[in-house]
Amino acid sequence: MSTILIGCAGASCSGKSTLTEWLSKILGLPVIHQDRFFKADSDVPVVNGIMHWDCPGALDMSEFAAFLKNVRADPAFVDSELSPNRPTISDKDISSHELDHLMIRGQSFRSNHSANNARASSSGTRIFLVDGFLMMSDPDVMAQLDYVLFLHSDYQILKQRREARFSYVTLEGTWQDPPGYFDDIVYPAYVEFNARVLDALKQNEGSGVKSNVRKVELDLASRSLSVFCIDSGKVRISEMVQLCMDIVQEGEAAPASVVKTGH
């Protein structure tokens, strides 16, 4: 039995968790949230007197990488690992008419991956969605991913979305961004810890594999990692879901070694 781990990465408030929720609903796939590996509030790094929640030091990245490795090794693992901060999806994102169409499209896929993957697909493959905003910062985490759906957007859109949020549930309470947090902490961290992907996009590297999707190959220690990049500020959520459904379904049909190497 093989396992495919699909990374859903990108900036905070890029829409990756909303995308993940819709893909999980339509394709019947379990979700693993990186946010489950945040450290206790008292262990989060402090920069200039402010807690830095958007750096790798705020999470136990080693435990996260080990968890993903264990998911691969344990065929009995079929459940989601969810964060309390997951978004609520509704018809405001995708209309009932569009959803009906998407559910019909995903019907055969769901039948192969039903009951939270309790039964592997006819090809003997389990598939998980892995949602996180710092996955591209850690080589050990990246090594566990078969490919990545990466959402990016421009500064103003990300800033508006982040500052519209109220608070986050933490291990020891809640967190509310103080004034200026996006400019001082969030956006600089996004640029720093996703530099390899963002630099490739800036230099117009990669190939256009679908409308509004660019594919970038990142060199890892033993292989390359395919990263499918979508500007979430320019694509409606329903279109983005359809694009990613195509990528997931094509990846599931291909041999695991092909998906892993990106060739």
Side-chain angles (χ1 to χ4, degrees):
M1 181 183 296
S2 63
T3 301
I4 294 177
L5 301 182
I6 305 169
C8 297
S12 171
C13 297
S14 62
K16 63 190 177 305
S17 295
T18 299
L19 171 65
T20 303
E21 289 293 306
W22 279 115
L23 289 175
S24 176
K25 176 182 179 69
I26 294 167
L27 297 178
L29 299 177
V31 179
I32 299 169
H33 282 143
Q34 184 185 38
D35 284 8
R36 291 288 292 168
F37 297 86
F38 266 114
K39 295 178 180 177
D41 302 32
S42 54
D43 293 326
V44 171
V46 175
V47 177
N48 297 325
I50 302 295
M51 297 173 72
H52 194 327
W53 290 96
D54 286 64
C55 69
L59 298 101
D60 192 331
M61 299 296 284
S62 295
E63 183 180 349
F64 181 45
F67 182 87
L68 297 180
K69 187 174 182 179
N70 288 337
V71 170
R72 284 195 177 281
D74 182 5
F77 187 93
V78 297
D79 297 322
S80 291
E81 189 74 14
L82 301 175
S83 163
N85 295 303
R86 59 194 291 218
T88 300
I89 56 177
S90 68
D91 285 352
K92 72 175 184 177
D93 299 319
I94 299 179
S95 69
S96 57
H97 173 74
E98 290 174 317
L99 181 57
D100 288 343
H101 171 71
L102 292 171
M103 293 297 287
I104 291 171
R105 277 195 58 196
Q107 185 172 1
S108 62
F109 193 95
R110 288 195 307 277
S111 67
N112 284 338
H113 299 274
S114 59
N116 288 331
N117 275 9
R119 298 185 298 277
S121 71
S122 57
S123 61
T125 302
R126 298 178 305 152
I127 302 178
F128 294 84
L129 301 169
V130 185
D131 176 338
F133 70 109
L134 282 169
M135 289 189 291
M136 309 307 288
S137 69
D138 190 288
D140 292 333
V141 171
M142 292 168 66
Q144 294 302 319
L145 303 175
D146 289 270
Y147 57 94
V148 176
L149 309 172
F150 185 90
L151 302 191
H152 60 100
S153 193
D154 65 37
Y155 166 87
Q156 288 295 340
I157 291 175
L158 296 175
K159 178 181 174 72
Q160 180 182 20
R161 290 175 179 175
R162 177 78 180 221
E163 293 184 345
R165 286 192 172 178
F166 294 102
S167 62
Y168 297 84
V169 176
T170 69
L171 288 179
E172 298 177 3
T174 59
W175 166 262
Q176 174 72 52
D177 289 351
Y181 195 76
F182 181 86
D183 290 325
D184 296 337
I185 299 290
V186 178
Y187 195 76
Y190 161 61
V191 172
E192 177 181 357
F193 298 118
N194 294 281
R196 294 180 66 186
V197 178
L198 296 177
D199 287 348
L201 290 173
K202 187 176 181 180
Q203 296 168 19
N204 202 31
E205 295 179 2
S207 58
V209 294
K210 296 179 184 294
S211 176
N212 296 312
V213 180
R214 293 197 66 80
K215 180 182 177 183
V216 172
E217 298 286 347
L218 300 183
D219 290 330
L220 304 182
S222 60
R223 62 179 176 92
S224 65
L225 177 65
S226 297
V227 182
F228 298 89
C229 305
I230 303 172
D231 186 338
S232 62
K234 296 180 179 179
V235 182
R236 292 176 59 244
I237 184 65
S238 58
E239 182 182 356
M240 188 159 53
V241 169
Q242 291 185 62
L243 289 170
C244 292
M245 282 176 63
D246 289 342
I247 295 169
V248 172
Q249 290 175 308
E250 290 167 8
E252 194 268 344
S257 59
V258 173
V259 175
K260 282 188 175 183
T261 60
H263 295 298

